[in-house]
Amino acid sequence: MDNADENVAVERMWVLVRKRTANGYLGVLDNEPDAIAENNEFWLGSELPFTAKHVINIEERDANTIALASQEPRTRWLD
């Protein structure tokens, strides 16, 4: 059950898709979150899984986003 007294941060984030997986996608965050404190797991360049239900908008890729998605992520998602 959700705790009504607990602070919950909800924020839209930009994610560059790195690859399609059996359960959805694996991407890398492309912006800094404002609603949470900086940490070692969830920040610009962090890799994370997501599914189609998490997508609000899609923009066409270009040379810049392809290059960014190809870089080594700040942190890798561990299954």
Side-chain angles (χ1 to χ4, degrees):
M1 185 167 160
D2 292 340
N3 182 347
D5 296 328
E6 184 179 324
N7 289 331
V8 176
V10 177
E11 184 173 350
R12 293 182 179 162
M13 302 296 294
W14 290 103
V15 178
L16 300 172
V17 177
R18 293 175 57 83
K19 69 179 182 178
R20 189 172 194 152
T21 67
N23 298 320
Y25 305 92
L26 188 63
V28 63
L29 288 178
D30 192 34
N31 66 302
E32 305 281 8
D34 289 327
I36 62 171
E38 186 169 357
N39 58 72
N40 292 327
E41 296 177 9
F42 190 74
W43 210 250
L44 176 69
S46 299
E47 189 175 62
L48 73 156
F50 64 100
T51 65
K53 73 179 183 180
H54 299 109
V55 177
I56 295 173
N57 189 23
I58 298 171
E59 292 189 4
E60 284 293 322
R61 63 185 180 175
D62 60 22
N64 184 49
T65 58
I66 292 169
L68 288 170
S70 299
Q71 293 177 2
E72 183 66 24
R74 177 180 180 174
T75 57
R76 286 229 178 245
W77 185 262
L78 303 175
D79 292 327

